[in-house]
Amino acid sequence: MQQQQPDPDRSTRIVVVLIGVAMVGFIAVTYPTLIPALTVALAAFMALAVVLKL
């Protein structure tokens, strides 16, 4: 029986998302005054992701 390999493109996306979430979480804990800016940046990123279908 041959085991199916995970899709490398999907795995890469998951890793990038996890790294991004960790960075945003670290920045939010380190600099709580930046939370409104991080929220706006996240909203802009999500809008771009939807438009570009990332």
Side-chain angles (χ1 to χ4, degrees), residues 1-5:
M1 253 190 214
Q2 204 174 24
Q3 216 173 7
Q4 281 196 346
Q5 295 295 323

Side-chain angles (χ1 to χ4, degrees), residues 23-25 27-29 31 34-43:
M23 287 180 58
V24 168
I27 292 170
V29 168
Y31 304 103
L34 292 180
I35 290 176
L38 291 172
T39 304
V40 171
L42 180 64

Side-chain angles (χ1 to χ4, degrees), residues 13 41-54:
R13 286 183 188 180
L42 180 64
F45 175 77
M46 291 307 296
L48 278 173
V50 168
V51 169
L52 298 175
K53 294 182 181 159
L54 298 174

Side-chain angles (χ1 to χ4, degrees), residues 13-37:
R13 286 183 188 180
I14 292 171
V15 169
V16 169
V17 167
L18 289 176
I19 291 171
V21 167
M23 287 180 58
V24 168
F26 176 75
I27 292 170
V29 168
T30 308
Y31 304 103
T33 56
L34 292 180
I35 290 176

